[in-house]
Amino acid sequence: MPKKRQALVEFEDILGACNAVNYAADNQIYIAGHPAFVNYSTSQKISRPGDTDDSRGVNNVLLFTILNPIYSITTDVLYTICNPCGPVQRIVIFRKNGVQAMVEYPSGRGSPGTAPSVGGGASPWGC
């Protein structure tokens, strides 16, 4: 949702979504130093452009997009953040338009439940 300053987050189950909305109702959430608001979407699933079949299954690669990093983003930093969630197999960093990184876990390990735990404040760098 570029230029709308909005994002969609798909949780593994409805309980995770309910917990996020309930937590945000009582606690101010900040992203990159700006207040964020959490609410339910009318969408039941996030689909990608051109994705007519949603049978892609669980992915073992996480994509990180880091906006306005304050500190240098290195493979060591990403490894420190991601390894507690499961054994990291490979990390690739792209610096073409900002900073993006892909972190790969061994097939079927690490990444299915990783996104909520990584997104749960594991980055103390404020980026």
Side-chain angles (χ1 to χ4, degrees), residues 47-71:
S47 60
R48 295 183 174 123
D51 186 12
T52 56
D53 180 21
D54 196 31
S55 63
R56 63 185 174 270
V58 175
N59 194 329
N60 62 328
V61 177
L62 292 177
L63 173 65
F64 288 79
T65 301
I66 299 106
L67 305 173
N68 303 316
I70 297 171
Y71 297 99

Side-chain angles (χ1 to χ4, degrees), residues 45 50 105 114:
K45 195 156 207 58
Y105 290 89
T114 301

Side-chain angles (χ1 to χ4, degrees), residues 66-111:
I66 299 106
L67 305 173
N68 303 316
I70 297 171
Y71 297 99
S72 179
I73 305 300
T74 66
T75 55
D76 290 335
V77 169
L78 291 170
Y79 182 86
T80 301
I81 293 169
C82 297
N83 194 55
C85 302
V88 173
Q89 186 171 357
R90 195 175 359 251
I91 298 173
V92 179
I93 298 176
F94 304 94
R95 290 185 167 83
K96 187 173 182 181
N97 296 321
V99 179
Q100 285 192 317
M102 294 189 326
V103 178
E104 182 180 357
Y105 290 89
S107 181
R109 299 189 67 194
S111 79

